[in-house]
Amino acid sequence: MKINQSPNFQGINISKANVLGRNLDIYKLTEKDKEFTSALKNIDLKNLLPPMNAQDFLIYNTVFQTGLSNAHYKNKTGMLLSCDDVPCGILVSFPFKNKLIGDFICTWPLRKGEKAPFGAQTLITQMFKNFLDTNASLIEIYAIRYGSIVSKYLKIGFCCAGGDDYSETMNITRERAKTSLEKLNQRINLIPTNSTEDVNLFDTLKH
């Protein structure tokens, strides 16, 4: 992946974890980060992902591209995951009435055949922490019926709440999120940095 240098991009490192000997970091993105998230769209997914048919790749790439496009919106919270300083995941959420909506969650390989350990679960752990710091009563997500995605969310603690042929609406209450977070913390020791310092990720991350 090659991203051109930009002195304008700044991100805040909000959490760190060492998982199976790999250093995972989560950065909070803002609306000024459009240039960086747009540059991430140039990642060559076809070279990184295992072989898949055209329809499956279309679904994966749509979530990837749309998630990056939404990550910097003013009313949404975008979080970028890196593993050993390599970008490898995005999570976008936003508040709606008494809910926190998990809008887009997507991870991708660091290199061909190599993934960050528990990458998606690390992002979800941070989402649970953010959620429990609010007064929202539940998290709601729309899980695409692709591969084992729905079953993975069920294992984390989400419940099915309807849907259609394309996606399953799933949610998790505060109490269930607390229980799930306790289990996630056993393998993902995500530590808040308490930092408010903006860092230039074009310098900080490998690309």
Side-chain angles (χ1 to χ4, degrees):
M1 174 179 63
K2 182 63 177 176
I3 300 175
N4 293 328
Q5 178 79 12
S6 169
N8 298 320
F9 175 75
Q10 303 291 307
I12 301 172
N13 185 195
I14 58 173
S15 298
K16 293 178 173 287
N18 186 287
V19 181
L20 301 179
R22 309 299 293 270
N23 294 315
L24 303 184
D25 290 272
I26 294 178
Y27 295 87
K28 182 179 179 181
L29 305 175
T30 68
E31 59 186 293
K32 64 184 177 181
D33 302 326
K34 183 176 181 179
E35 185 177 348
F36 186 81
T37 54
S38 294
L40 286 178
K41 294 179 182 181
N42 295 322
I43 294 173
D44 187 359
L45 289 181
K46 286 189 175 180
N47 183 55
L48 292 176
L49 296 170
M52 61 180 65
N53 63 46
Q55 182 62 27
D56 286 349
F57 180 78
L58 177 62
I59 293 171
Y60 192 107
N61 191 52
T62 299
V63 174
F64 172 75
Q65 297 285 339
T66 311
L68 289 171
S69 294
N70 280 259
H72 56 84
Y73 282 8
K74 186 175 182 179
N75 65 329
K76 298 185 178 184
T77 298
M79 295 184 292
L80 176 73
L81 174 70
S82 72
C83 178
D84 296 333
D85 297 330
V86 178
C88 60
I90 193 84
L91 188 151
V92 181
S93 62
F94 64 92
F96 179 72
K97 296 182 179 179
N98 66 330
K99 305 175 185 177
L100 178 67
I101 306 296
D103 203 15
F104 295 96
I105 303 173
C106 183
T107 60
W108 55 90
L110 304 167
R111 286 165 283 275
K112 193 173 185 68
E114 182 183 357
K115 294 182 178 181
F118 303 114
Q121 291 186 32
T122 300
L123 283 168
I124 290 171
T125 297
Q126 183 65 56
M127 181 171 66
F128 282 173
K129 288 175 178 285
N130 293 351
F131 165 63
L132 293 172
D133 283 340
T134 72
N135 294 321
S137 60
L138 57 82
I139 299 174
E140 186 169 275
I141 62 172
Y142 307 98
I144 295 175
R145 298 189 189 282
Y146 166 73
S148 59
I149 290 177
V150 172
S151 63
K152 287 179 178 178
Y153 282 120
L154 288 171
K155 289 179 181 178
I156 292 174
F158 283 85
C159 297
C160 293
D164 52 32
D165 291 340
Y166 177 72
S167 66
E168 178 72 32
T169 301
M170 308 185 76
N171 60 44
I172 188 168
T173 63
R174 294 186 68 86
E175 288 306 311
R176 289 180 66 87
K178 289 177 183 177
T179 300
S180 296
L181 183 58
E182 290 174 0
K183 294 178 180 178
L184 288 167
N185 285 338
Q186 293 174 13
R187 70 169 68 99
I188 304 167
N189 184 24
L190 195 58
I191 301 172
T193 64
N194 298 317
S195 174
T196 57
E197 179 186 3
D198 285 349
V199 296
N200 189 326
L201 292 194
F202 282 102
D203 292 336
T204 303
L205 299 182
K206 299 174 184 176
H207 51 84

